[in-house]
Amino acid sequence: MKKIQNYFFSGILIVAPLGLSVYVAWVVVGLADKIFRPFIPLSQLGIPAEIPGVGLIVAFVFFTILGAVAGSFFGRFYHKVVDGILSKIPGLNSIYNTVKQIIDTFATTQSNAFKEVVLIEYPQKDMYAIGFLTSETKGEIAVRKNKKMINVFMPSTPNPTTGFLMFVPLTKCTKLSMSVDQAIKYIISAGLVTPSAPNIKKALPKKKKKLAKK
């Protein structure tokens, strides 16, 4: 009986990610259809009204055009005005700023501002934390310390939009093979979503066997 229960839960674990992905996709398509379908003259275009996904296609085209306009002078001016207004409305400004910070963080990871994921010994000996290498330390700090250092952003859990900057000697960092996206998921999930480990045992130097004394 216990073996059957294990098989049952194993089946759920296999199907759950696929089922949830399909459900979310279906909800997104349905939501896009409800919002954008009333603005589309389907009958005049000869498109059957019952075809799902038409609203999603229109939404894709709409946001693509909006993104292109946002890059122009008018778009930047409009964004600056809207940003200034929403940032000053009590109650709404906290929600707007939080969402904006989260979006900016993920946009930053896509633009490769976070170059690599590193592991550093923090906050004390034999305790470690994940950070993001942003650049090499330069300027006054590099001159005063007179050693090769890197700038590491240390995100907090479960909100990686907050954190602090650390200047770490390069020799004190361990570069990880996981991607920035994987590290972000790792941090947000508080360690529940663990990236798969690469086969690094072959790359590690083999320990020399000590010869037995005769």
Side-chain angles (χ1 to χ4, degrees):
M1 187 65 182
K2 189 174 181 180
K3 186 176 288 187
I4 295 176
Q5 289 179 348
N6 292 336
Y7 288 153
F8 175 75
F9 286 111
S10 297
I12 291 178
L13 292 176
I14 293 172
V15 175
L18 176 62
L20 184 60
S21 300
V22 172
Y23 174 75
V24 171
W26 184 259
V27 170
V28 171
V29 170
L31 183 62
D33 282 346
K34 286 182 180 179
I35 295 174
F36 291 95
R37 190 182 290 272
F39 302 99
I40 309 171
L42 297 177
S43 57
Q44 297 178 9
L45 297 174
I47 302 174
E50 62 274 7
I51 295 180
V54 176
L56 186 63
I57 296 174
V58 174
F60 174 78
V61 175
F62 171 76
F63 287 117
T64 301
I65 296 174
L66 185 63
V69 173
S72 64
F73 172 78
F74 172 77
R76 290 193 296 270
F77 175 76
Y78 177 79
H79 181 268
K80 186 176 181 180
V81 172
V82 172
D83 187 73
I85 294 174
L86 293 178
S87 298
K88 294 178 181 178
I89 299 177
L92 184 61
N93 58 352
S94 59
I95 300 174
Y96 174 75
N97 290 331
T98 301
V99 174
K100 188 172 181 293
Q101 285 179 353
I102 294 174
I103 293 175
D104 288 344
T105 298
F106 282 97
T108 301
T109 61
Q110 294 299 322
S111 64
N112 293 327
F114 294 158
K115 296 179 180 179
E116 291 181 272
V117 183
V118 295
L119 189 71
I120 64 173
E121 197 170 34
Y122 177 85
Q124 63 185 39
K125 186 176 175 58
D126 293 332
M127 294 182 68
Y128 299 89
I130 287 178
F132 298 110
L133 190 160
T134 58
S135 61
E136 182 181 344
T137 303
K138 297 179 181 179
E140 181 181 355
I141 295 175
V143 173
R144 286 184 177 275
K145 299 306 294 182
N146 194 25
K147 63 174 67 174
K148 194 165 186 179
M149 304 180 71
I150 57 174
N151 302 335
V152 178
F153 173 69
M154 300 295 297
S156 59
T157 300
N159 180 13
T161 61
T162 61
F164 51 92
L165 175 64
M166 294 184 67
F167 306 99
V168 187
L170 187 59
T171 55
K172 299 293 184 180
C173 293
T174 301
K175 294 184 179 181
L176 303 178
S177 60
M178 71 174 69
S179 66
V180 173
D181 290 337
Q182 288 176 325
I184 289 284
K185 294 175 184 177
Y186 202 9
I187 293 166
I188 291 176
S189 67
L192 296 177
V193 180
T194 305
S196 58
N199 188 12
I200 59 175
K201 291 184 178 180
K202 294 181 179 180
L204 295 176
K206 294 182 179 179
K207 294 182 179 179
K208 295 182 179 180
K209 294 182 179 179
K210 294 182 179 180
L211 297 175
K213 294 182 179 180
K214 293 183 179 180

